[in-house]
Amino acid sequence: MEKPKVVLGVSGGIAAYKACELLRRLTESGHDVRVVPTESSLHFVGAATWSALSGHPVSTEVWNDVHEVPHVRIGQHADLVVVAPATADMLARAAHGLADDLLTNTLLTARCPVVLAPAMHTEMWEHPATQENVATLRRRGVLVIEPAVGRLTGVDTGKGRLPDPGEIFEVCRRVLARGPVAPDLVGRHVVISAGGTREPLDPVRYLGNRSSGKQGYALARTAVARGARVTLIEANTGLPDPSGADVVRAGTAMQLREAVLKAASDADVVVMAAAVADFRPAEYATGKIKKKDGQEPAPITLVRNPDILAEVAGRRARPEQIVVGFAAETDDVLANGREKLRRKGCDLLVVNEVGERRTFGSEENEAVVLAAGGGETPVPFGPKEALADTVWDLVSARLG
C-alpha cells in the first residue's frame, strides 16, 4: 500500500525544534513526510536536518524546481497538512489567504484535512486579532489545536506552549484515520470527566476504584481531532494531558462535581466517563489511624456522594444539551444499564462489563451504547478510541 502523504509545515518559532520529534513519529509509523519550513524557521532548525530526517529535499521557495509546480503539487497530493509550530504570523497569513512562500501556497492548494498547532506567548495567543484568525480558520474546517499551558520562552509561563509532539501525533493519526471528512464537532464545547475519584479516610489512606481514565482520555483526544473545544475534568489518572484539551484537576467526588457543573454551564455535550465514588467516609481522621495490638479497627461509616450524572441531566444548561453517562457493571449488564439510563435521565449510556482483569487499565474496551427512547449500539472488543468514535458519532447525529 502507498504510504499516507503528510506535509509537515514548520513556522518560525523557538518550538520549531520540537517538530523533529513529530517528524520522527510520523515517519516511523509509516507516513511519507515532506517538510515545508518557512524561511524564518530555518534560523531555529536548518534545512539539512529536515532533509535528513524526512528523506526529501527541503525548500522554502516557490521558485525551486519550477517545472514540478511545487506550490500546487505538494498540497494537492497530501493526505494531511500539519503545521507545528504555527506562529501568530502563520495563523494570520493562513486566515487571510496569503501565499508569499511555499508553505502558505501549500495551505491554499490543500484539499485534505489541515491541522495547525499554535505556539506563541500568552499575550499573542489571547490578542483579539489572533482569536479572530483562529475562529476564521475553524469556520473553514481547519483543526486548530488549543495550545498547552506551561513554560514559554525565558521565564514566562502561561497558555501558548506547543503541545507535546506525541500528543500532536495522536491528533494527526486520528484525523488521518477519519479520512477527508470535515470535523463534525467544530464550534462545540464538550466536557468530559475521566479517572476515578478518591475519598480520603486519613492523611495517607483513601477509598478509591480501579479506573485508569484511559477511556475518558480517548474520548477527549478523539473530540479534539473532530474539532471540538474540550474541557477534561481529570481525577487521579497520572496520564499526560491530551493535546488541545483544557484540563481541570479534581480529586474527590465533591471536587469533581464542582468542576463539572461549572464547565457544563456553557457546554453542548457532557460526558461522564469518570468512575465517581458512590460513598465517602463520614469522618476524616486528621492523623493516621493507628493499628492497635489486640484491637479490631473501628467500623468506617459511609455517607452518600451526590449523583453527578443525574444532577447534570436534571439541570441542563439548556434543553438541547446532550448528556452521556457510563455504567460499569459486573452482572446483568444490559438490564442494569437500561434501569440506570431511565433513572439517570441522560441521553446516552455506555454500558460495559468490568472486573479485576476487564476494562480497567486496559487499552481495549467492549460496550453497548443505550439511547433514551430505545436503541442499542454494540461496540465490539477493540481500542478504546473506537468506542470513543462511536460515542461521538451518536452525539454528532443528535447535535446535527
Side-chain angles (χ1 to χ4, degrees), residues 12 37 54 60 109 115 159 197 229 263-264 289 323 329 339 351-352 383:
S54 68
T60 65
T109 56
V115 176
K159 189 167 186 176
T197 61
R229 177 167 69 92
I289 300 173
V323 179
E329 301 291 343
E339 169 59 23
V351 185
N352 55 6

Side-chain angles (χ1 to χ4, degrees), residues 33-47:
V33 187
R34 175 80 178 261
V35 182
V36 181
T38 64
E39 185 67 32
S40 60
S41 76
L42 297 180
H43 289 286
F44 300 99
V45 181

Side-chain angles (χ1 to χ4, degrees), residues 316 323 341-342 345-349 369-376 398:
R316 300 174 195 239
V323 179
L341 176 65
R342 182 197 63 78
C346 51
D347 301 286
L348 299 169
L349 187 72
V369 186
L370 304 178
E376 298 180 2
R398 288 173 175 256

Side-chain angles (χ1 to χ4, degrees), residues 62 68-78 102 105-106 108-110:
V62 298
E68 296 180 357
V69 201
H71 71 290
V72 174
R73 293 286 183 262
I74 295 175
Q76 283 181 335
H77 294 167
L102 190 56
N105 273 270
T106 298
L108 281 181
T109 56

Side-chain angles (χ1 to χ4, degrees), residues 65-297:
D65 300 317
V66 174
H67 64 288
E68 296 180 357
V69 201
H71 71 290
V72 174
R73 293 286 183 262
I74 295 175
Q76 283 181 335
H77 294 167
D79 297 302
L80 172 72
V81 176
V82 53
V83 181
T87 61
D89 176 71
M90 175 53 63
L91 294 175
R93 290 195 288 152
H96 290 83
L98 300 184
D100 55 355
D101 63 6
L102 190 56
L103 180 53
T104 48
N105 273 270
T106 298
L107 290 171
L108 281 181
T109 56
R111 293 299 178 264
C112 59
V114 175
V115 176
L116 304 180
M120 64 199 72
H121 267 72
T122 306
E123 294 83 359
M124 300 173 74
W125 171 252
E126 294 177 346
H127 195 283
T130 302
Q131 290 301 304
E132 287 185 21
N133 291 332
V134 169
T136 297
L137 290 164
R138 286 174 171 163
R139 281 196 302 271
R140 294 177 187 158
V142 176
L143 178 54
V144 184
I145 303 173
E146 288 287 315
V149 176
R151 183 71 176 269
L152 306 173
T153 306
V155 297
D156 294 345
T157 299
K159 189 167 186 176
R161 181 183 175 89
L162 184 74
D164 181 80
E167 290 293 327
I168 300 174
F169 168 73
E170 287 299 321
V171 172
C172 294
R173 188 175 64 82
R174 284 167 168 79
V175 171
L176 280 165
R178 284 180 55 78
V181 179
D184 56 352
L185 296 177
V186 172
R188 303 293 189 177
H189 178 207
V190 303
V191 175
I192 303 163
S193 69
T197 61
R198 296 176 179 177
E199 308 304 317
L201 178 61
D202 64 21
V204 297
R205 301 183 180 93
Y206 60 84
L207 301 181
N209 56 66
R210 298 179 183 274
S211 178
S212 65
K214 290 181 179 179
Q215 184 62 70
Y217 274 60
L219 284 157
R221 291 188 175 100
T222 306
V224 168
R226 296 173 74 147
R229 177 167 69 92
V230 178
T231 300
L232 177 66
I233 317 269
E234 178 268 354
N236 308 299
T237 66
L239 299 173
D241 292 351
S243 177
D246 291 322
V247 180
V248 179
R249 314 289 179 193
T252 67
M254 298 301 289
Q255 292 169 349
L256 189 132
R257 173 184 177 272
E258 180 182 357
V260 168
L261 293 179
K262 180 179 180 181
S265 62
D266 70 341
D268 298 286
V269 187
V270 180
V271 182
M272 288 295 299
V276 182
D278 293 322
F279 309 99
R280 68 183 185 273
E283 295 183 2
Y284 172 75
T286 57
K288 179 183 176 182
I289 300 173
K290 298 292 187 179
K291 178 175 64 176
K292 297 180 180 179
D293 292 340
Q295 295 185 18
E296 292 296 321

